[in-house]
Amino acid sequence: MSPKEKDLHQGYRGPTLELLKRFGITVWCEVRARTTRGDFVGLILPRSETSDDLHLVLKLSIGYNIGVRHDTILELEKIGFREAHYQIPEKEFPTDPTNPSVKLLGTGGTIASRLDYRTGAVIPAFSPGELYGSVPELADICNLETEKLFGVFSENMGPEQYLALAEKTGEAIQEGYEGIVIGHGTDTMHHTAAALSFMVQKPPVPIVMVGSQRSSDRPSSDAAQNLINATWAAGHGPIAEVLVCMFGPTSDLYNLLHRGTRVRKMHSSVRSTFRTLGDIPVAMVERGKVTPFKEDWLPRREDREVTVQAVFDERVTLVYYYPGMHPDVIDALVEKGYRGIVIAGTGLGHVNRLIYPALERARDAGVQVYMTLQTLWGFVQMNVYETGREILELGVVPLANMLPEVAYIKLGWALGVHPGDPAAVKGLMMTSIAGEMTEGEPHDGYLILQGGIPEVQDFLGKVWR
Ligand code: ASP
């Protein structure tokens, strides 16, 4: 396909491309589509390269985008043409010598996107000028410099990206920035937060991860508030740890700062999707103020010392146990050469008897197996029931209240730190180095201080005087 043609039919391939060509239609044409399901009038939007080749995407005049399957389309009639503008007005980011310098490292996700109202196409907004154009408050907070490392949705982040991000973060710290902000898709932000917590230890400045559940053109977007609070926490906040800064309550009152090893995305669509698990959040942040809830955080320092250990052995996996699991699931991993397996077990850390022989075979093959919990809150306790004791005897190592994804990331990192030294790997796994295992959990931590429903908060406010 010539570059020109690619431009005319952005992202369309196979049967949908043929259909467009047959009726002389290009992207941005306004069309009347006669289909077996009725007529639709709308604008043909570009198709993402990774989407299937079976659907045309139409933006209807009421604002919704619909996918129309190519084989239901009888005729496409061109009735107009409206091309999208991919440019966000760039304004020069003003610098103020009294403001701290903050480096924003971009990896992608919704936070890096803005939807074009007229067309529904998602376009990137990333340079400082573009960010200033869309969130002018940022200039009052810090002197911002940006660097786009990747432009991916976060399901495409992985070990390769973790290593590059950890290295870049370490470099930015040494270059003298007073805070680091990392823009990231929300879906796997907690994996990356865990990776950075292990790979970039004891940073002298805050490393604040931020994303958004809704793109910045939508009235309900959380992008601006999240960015404002994240840059504040990075540039001015006292907590020098890897933190996730996202909406606290459902409404736009304040953000929470979650510790990178204790945080998880817990809802697919609400803005207050990130919750601290097994603890309370480290702090809250509202415009111009970081209020710590906890006392055990690491304070900001003037020096530039930081320990960067950007390593990861990819031969690790996370197995979500389910009743009825067969041993061949574990056997297959051992045969394929995996070196470490984290199990998310039921209850206090259980799996069925059926897989015991496979766990034994894994142990004999030198594969490290660790136990975490599907319940997410609470501790692995393998001494309570007979099952637990039996599993312990098979060499499975309990990981206290380390979250399953965090354990997976830590195991990959630990195997990278100590290649060929299983005892050292186990020692590292059993030592809490970034808050991934705690002494105890607050009994009400998952309800208190994590932002409630406004009516409930109001009610509680009246009762608690
Ligand atoms: N799928 C997106 C991502 O994780 C969602 C988001 O950015 O919030 O990259």
Side-chain angles (χ1 to χ4, degrees), residues 429-450:
M429 288 304 287
M430 305 292 292
T431 313
S432 187
I433 55 174
E436 69 275 22
M437 291 185 284
T438 60
E439 291 279 309
E441 294 187 353
H443 69 281
D444 50 6
Y446 71 91
L447 297 177
I448 304 294
L449 294 176
Q450 304 226 31

Side-chain angles (χ1 to χ4, degrees), residues 25 69 86 110 122 143 208 228 233 314 332 339 344 364 375 392 423:
I25 302 292
R69 225 188 120 90
Y86 275 90
T110 304
V122 175
N143 297 325
V208 185
I228 289 168
E314 295 196 33
R339 305 307 304 148
D364 295 346
T375 59
L392 272 180

